[in-house]
């Protein structure tokens, strides 16, 4: 039995033309070889499975081929591969440096390929620096890594860096098609597309998945078989779910999601895929962006058809809700409920709710409940209302029934609002079957013009009552009384720890001009600080001086000489300036400061 060779090894590229998806790098390397501009140290960096080691081996053979007639010569004795993951010590690097000194027995160059170079220790990197910068003319170093950020800058500065990109889904699918044809495997275009998507930009992973699927399906690859084997959610699942969301079928949506979970799929994977599906629908709405869809022609047609059923508002809101669920999924205590709520919210985007047609502002049953007899009710078939001026209602309402509105307008008010005409039109008469001695009132709709006028008149009447009954005090006061209360407020601020406000209050004596208090401050910044406290100060002075006409005006005087009291005597002198009676009190009782 012949040993099976995996496709990743069997179909490993042997020339730069065979390398998939790295045309820019392969063209650069070919030109460097032809023009003899090849650097002595190269760094190949990029994701896994994109061809870094393969390009290094092709380059090692290519630079030794000139002058040799045998195209199949692989110059194996000139190529040395070192796995830095297991050979990462200083001694391993020293052994490598000792080998570098020996020239090649055949060919022009000895090529040293160091894979996973980021695994070298710091000491090994430092031991490698000098040799990497000035190697012998027959030595070329090719470093390969998936994590360039872990390599020290001194190594990076000595290398020519080639960044390998992820292989696109299109390129991976085309290469898989060539491999499938060479093996005699029949395939559907969507099946290869799913494999290429699952590989996530790595050609080696794509070939490994291809081998696995072929083992499961045989020589016929179908989309259904591939999705079943890889346990992935294909686009048909999301298209059917979107149809249910657009039709607002919440029970069917919950059942469909339960079916997805029962097949072993993760809710986090599903909601992230739903957001991507909405993004693809948004892309498919415009013909210019249709090329951004990395999928087969049949899938593109389905996306184009469904995108016409959706609105841009629905898709943007759906992406926002799905993305929010994606962010909250890991921290949620009930992850299934979180996804179900998100699906119900998305289904409710296009749901307008039940629209009820209102034909009566005051329904006829209201009058029947309140012992009224309706002689005639004028309501148009289209639901047009009868105006308030056409309704003349008298009577009372029962105690257990609440009226449709709380607005009560007297008959005189209604008559005053009705326009006078020479030829009065017949009106609808609503006669009560029972009468009592209570004054008659008219019940008016809260949405009618009569109720709006009545509310406005009531508000005006309340304002006039307030103006007539409220009298604010305005007792006279002297400047000395004002300054005493001013200082008390300053002391109050000082006791509370607001020293800045206290100093601004005592920085100068306020001046009284009628009922206006003028206070000067030395600069604008102090004025800004004072303005924050002014409402509290104004309320305090109005209350203490019993005068609500008091106003405070702040002026900026940059030439102001600040008066400060430092000693007890200074403070006493300051108080005497405000109230000279303190000096009389001191002499009368022979007091000391």
């Amino acid at each position: 039995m012949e040993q099976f060779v995996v496709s990743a090894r069997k179909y490993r590229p042997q020339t730069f033309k065979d390398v998939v998806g790295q045309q820019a790098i392969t063209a650069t390397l070919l030109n460097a070889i032809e023009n003899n501009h090849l650097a002595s140290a190269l760094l190949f960096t990029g994701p896994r499975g994109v061809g870094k080691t393969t390009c290094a081996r092709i380059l090692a053979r290519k630079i030794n081929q000139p002058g040799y007639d045998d195209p199949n010569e692989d110059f194996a004795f000139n190529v040395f591969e070192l796995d830095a993951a297991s050979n990462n010590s200083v001694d391993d690097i020293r052994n490598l440096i000792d080998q570098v000194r020996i020239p090649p027995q055949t060919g022009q160059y000895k090529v040293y390929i160091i894979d996973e170079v980021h695994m070298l220790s710091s000491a090994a990197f430092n031991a490698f620096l000098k040799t990497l910068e000035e190697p012998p003319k027959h030595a070329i170093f090719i470093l390969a890594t998936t994590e360039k950020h872990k390599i020290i800058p001194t190594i990076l500065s000595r290398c020519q860096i080639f960044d390998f990109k992820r292989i696109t889904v299109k390129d991976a699918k085309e290469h898989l098609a060539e491999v499938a044809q060479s093996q005699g495997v029949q395939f559907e275009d969507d099946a290869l597309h799913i494999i290429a998507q699952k590989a996530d930009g790595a050609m080696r992973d794509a070939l490994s998945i291809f081998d696995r699927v072929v083992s499961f399906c045989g020589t016929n690859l179908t989309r259904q078989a591939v999705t079943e084997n890889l346990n992935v959610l294909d686009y048909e699942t999301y298209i059917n779910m979107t149809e249910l969301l657009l039709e607002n079928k919440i029970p069917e949506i919950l059942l469909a999601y339960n079916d997805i979970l029962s097949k072993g799929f993760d809710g986090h994977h599903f909601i992230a895929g739903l957001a991507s599906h909405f993004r693809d629908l948004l892309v498919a709405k415009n013909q210019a962006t249709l090329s951004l869809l990395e999928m087969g022609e049949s899938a593109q047609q389905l996306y184009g058809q469904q995108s016409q059923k959706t609105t841009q508002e629905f898709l943007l809101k759906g992406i926002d809700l799905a993305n929010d669920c994606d962010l909250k999924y890991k921290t949620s205590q009930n992850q299934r409920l979180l996804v179900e709520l998100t699906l119900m919210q998305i289904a409710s985007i296009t749901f307008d709710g039940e629209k009820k047609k209102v034909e009566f502002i005051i329904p006829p049953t209201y009058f029947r409940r309140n012992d009224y007899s309706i002689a005639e009710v004028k309501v148009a078939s289209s639901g047009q209302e009868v105006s308030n001026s056409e309704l003349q209602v008298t009577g009372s309402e029962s105690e257990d029934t609440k009226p449709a509105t709380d607005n009560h307008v007297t008959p005189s008010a209604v008559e005053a609002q009705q326009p006078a005409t020479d030829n009065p039109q017949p009106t609808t008469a609503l006669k009560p079957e029972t009468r009592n001695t209570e004054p008659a009132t008219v019940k008016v709709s809260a949405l009618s013009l009569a109720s709006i006028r009545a509310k406005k008149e009531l508000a005006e009447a309340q304002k006039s009552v307030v103006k007539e009954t409220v009298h604010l005090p305005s007792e006279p006061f002297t400047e000395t009384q004002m300054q005493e209360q001013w200082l008390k407020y300053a002391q109050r601020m000082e006791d509370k720890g607001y020293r800045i406000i206290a100093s601004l209050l005592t920085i100068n004596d306020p001046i009284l001009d009628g009922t206006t208090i003028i206070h000067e401050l030395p600069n604008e910044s102090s004025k800004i600080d004072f303005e924050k406290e002014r409402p509290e100060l104004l309320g305090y002075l109005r209350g203490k001086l019993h005068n609500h006409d008091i106003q405070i005006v702040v002026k900026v005087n940059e030439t102001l000489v600040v008066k400060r009291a430092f000693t007890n005597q200074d403070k006493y002198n300051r108080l005497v300036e405000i109230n000279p009676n303190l000096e009389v009190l001191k002499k009368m009782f022979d007091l000391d400061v």
Side-chain angles (χ1 to χ4, degrees):
M1 181 178 178
E2 185 179 357
Q3 184 180 5
F4 174 73
V5 180
V6 296
S7 298
R9 289 181 56 194
K10 184 177 180 180
Y11 298 99
R12 183 186 287 271
Q14 300 300 315
T15 64
F16 282 128
K17 292 182 180 179
D18 299 332
V19 178
V20 179
Q22 309 293 345
Q23 288 78 10
I25 292 177
T26 55
T28 303
L29 293 174
L30 280 173
N31 292 335
I33 295 171
E34 292 175 0
N35 299 325
N36 196 24
H37 284 173
L38 192 65
S40 58
L42 306 175
L43 176 64
F44 292 171
T45 178
R48 69 184 190 282
V50 294
K52 299 186 295 297
T53 306
T54 298
C55 286
R57 293 177 179 177
I58 296 173
L59 179 64
R61 290 196 302 270
K62 190 75 175 176
I63 59 179
N64 282 310
Q65 282 180 355
Y68 283 83
D69 297 330
D70 187 5
N72 296 322
E73 175 64 41
D74 59 356
F75 299 96
F77 293 103
N78 289 29
V79 180
F80 301 89
E81 290 194 35
L82 178 68
D83 182 17
S86 56
N87 303 279
N88 54 7
S89 65
V90 178
D91 293 336
D92 296 323
I93 296 298
R94 286 174 180 169
N95 293 335
L96 178 66
I97 294 172
D98 292 339
Q99 295 178 13
V100 169
R101 298 172 183 171
I102 304 173
Q105 301 300 315
T106 179
Q108 299 181 12
Y109 297 99
K110 292 177 72 174
V111 181
Y112 295 87
I113 301 174
I114 305 178
D115 206 2
E116 305 298 334
V117 69
H118 65 274
M119 300 291 288
L120 289 178
S121 63
S122 298
F125 271 130
N126 293 326
F128 194 36
L129 284 176
K130 189 64 177 177
T131 304
L132 190 66
E133 184 176 9
E134 298 178 359
K137 62 180 182 179
H138 59 266
I140 291 180
F141 293 97
I142 302 177
L143 314 180
T145 180
T146 57
E147 301 182 45
K148 183 176 68 173
H149 61 278
K150 291 186 178 180
I151 302 176
I152 60 176
T154 50
I155 292 289
L156 295 176
S157 64
R158 289 167 168 79
C159 300
Q160 272 191 5
I161 302 175
F162 293 86
D163 287 304
F164 285 69
K165 63 180 181 179
R166 290 182 179 271
I167 298 174
T168 63
V169 174
K170 181 181 178 181
D171 291 340
K173 185 176 69 173
E174 291 176 353
H175 187 66
L176 288 174
E178 295 176 0
V179 172
Q181 290 172 359
S182 66
Q183 294 185 3
V185 177
Q186 301 294 326
F187 59 88
E188 292 182 1
D189 188 63
D190 288 340
L192 295 184
H193 183 269
I194 292 172
I195 295 174
Q197 276 188 324
K198 185 74 173 178
D200 194 23
M203 195 68 244
R204 182 172 61 236
D205 292 353
L207 291 170
S208 299
I209 296 172
F210 176 79
D211 289 343
R212 170 180 148 195
V213 173
V214 168
S215 300
F216 174 76
C217 303
T219 58
N220 186 18
L221 290 183
T222 62
R223 179 182 59 81
Q224 183 178 359
V226 170
T227 54
E228 182 180 351
N229 180 257
L230 299 182
N231 197 31
V232 296
L233 287 168
D234 61 348
Y235 59 85
E236 276 195 1
T237 302
Y238 291 112
I239 285 179
N240 294 334
M241 180 63 76
T242 304
E243 290 291 341
L244 295 176
L245 292 171
L246 290 172
E247 295 172 3
N248 315 117
K249 297 181 178 179
I250 292 180
E252 288 82 353
I253 291 170
L254 297 180
L255 291 174
Y257 179 60
N258 181 71
D259 186 48
I260 291 171
L261 294 180
S262 64
K263 293 179 181 179
F265 293 105
D266 181 36
H268 198 182
H269 175 69
F270 165 75
I271 201 68
L274 185 64
S276 299
H277 178 73
F278 288 155
R279 174 262 179 194
D280 292 339
L281 289 177
L282 197 62
V283 167
K285 289 183 73 67
N286 193 335
Q287 193 68 24
T289 58
L290 195 61
S291 60
L292 297 177
L293 289 178
E294 296 180 339
M295 55 186 62
E297 294 182 1
S298 59
Q300 286 187 1
Q301 292 177 359
L302 289 175
Y303 273 77
Q305 293 173 4
Q306 190 171 69
S307 65
Q308 301 305 318
K309 301 178 183 178
T310 60
T311 62
Q312 185 174 355
E313 181 184 1
F314 170 81
L315 293 175
L316 292 175
K317 185 65 175 176
I319 292 173
D320 183 51
L321 290 172
N323 185 57
D324 185 59
C325 178
D326 185 16
L327 296 174
K328 296 177 180 178
Y329 189 87
K330 289 185 178 180
T331 58
S332 175
Q333 296 294 328
N334 193 339
Q335 296 173 340
R336 174 168 182 164
L337 178 61
L338 177 65
V339 177
E340 289 176 342
L341 285 174
T342 302
L343 291 175
M344 287 187 281
Q345 288 175 340
I346 296 174
S348 303
I349 295 175
T350 57
F351 184 69
D352 294 334
E354 184 181 358
K355 296 181 179 179
K356 296 182 179 180
K357 185 177 180 182
V358 180
E359 295 185 353
F360 296 95
I361 292 179
I362 302 178
T365 54
Y366 168 80
F367 300 102
R368 295 193 185 99
R369 286 196 306 267
N370 293 276
D371 299 329
Y372 284 95
S373 62
I374 303 177
E376 182 181 0
V377 178
K378 293 183 178 180
V379 179
S381 59
S382 60
Q384 185 177 0
E385 303 173 15
V386 178
S387 63
N388 292 316
S389 61
E390 296 176 350
L391 293 178
Q392 296 178 354
V393 185
T394 59
S396 63
E397 59 177 344
S398 60
E399 294 179 358
D400 59 341
T401 306
K402 194 173 183 179
T405 70
D406 293 334
N407 299 319
H408 301 280
V409 183
T410 59
S412 59
V414 176
E415 292 174 1
Q417 293 166 6
Q418 293 178 353
T421 57
D422 297 334
N423 299 319
Q425 299 295 329
T427 60
T428 302
L430 300 177
K431 301 179 180 179
E433 296 178 356
T434 60
R435 296 180 181 272
N436 52 24
T437 58
E438 295 180 2
T441 59
V442 176
K443 301 170 182 61
V444 184
S445 169
L447 302 179
S448 64
L449 293 176
S451 67
I452 296 175
R453 294 192 192 99
K455 289 180 181 179
K456 187 174 180 181
E457 292 175 0
L458 180 61
E460 293 294 335
Q462 290 175 346
K463 289 182 181 178
S464 62
V465 170
V466 170
K467 291 181 180 179
E468 293 174 0
T469 57
V470 177
H471 298 284
L472 298 177
S474 57
E475 299 180 5
F477 61 93
T478 63
E479 187 174 27
T480 301
Q481 293 174 335
M482 178 272 293
Q483 291 181 353
E484 286 179 0
Q485 297 300 332
W486 186 281
L487 290 177
K488 286 182 180 180
Y489 188 83
Q491 186 61 42
R492 182 180 176 185
M493 293 294 102
E494 180 77 22
D495 296 340
K496 289 184 178 181
Y498 303 136
R499 300 183 181 277
I500 296 177
I501 298 299
S503 63
L504 292 178
L505 290 168
T506 58
I507 201 170
N508 189 35
D509 293 336
I511 301 172
L512 183 63
D513 183 9
T515 57
T516 302
I517 302 173
I518 302 173
H519 188 53
E520 294 186 350
L521 294 172
N523 49 54
E524 286 291 338
S525 62
S526 60
K527 179 181 178 181
I528 294 173
D529 292 336
F530 185 85
E531 289 290 346
K532 297 177 182 178
E533 188 64 25
R534 185 169 67 168
E536 294 290 336
L537 174 60
L538 187 59
Y540 176 84
L541 293 176
R542 286 177 175 178
K544 292 295 182 180
L545 298 175
H546 305 288
N547 192 317
H548 282 257
D549 296 333
I550 296 176
Q551 298 295 331
I552 299 177
V553 176
V554 182
K555 295 183 179 180
V556 176
N557 185 2
E558 296 181 356
T559 61
L560 180 66
V561 177
V562 180
K563 298 181 180 180
R564 297 187 183 275
F566 296 100
T567 64
N568 293 334
Q569 186 63 41
D570 293 338
K571 294 178 180 179
Y572 172 74
N573 295 336
R574 181 82 175 86
L575 293 173
V576 170
E577 291 178 5
I578 298 173
N579 191 353
N581 293 328
L582 287 177
E583 184 65 26
V584 178
L585 183 65
K586 177 185 174 184
K587 292 179 180 179
M588 182 181 297
F589 294 97
D590 194 18
L591 301 176
D592 193 6
V593 178

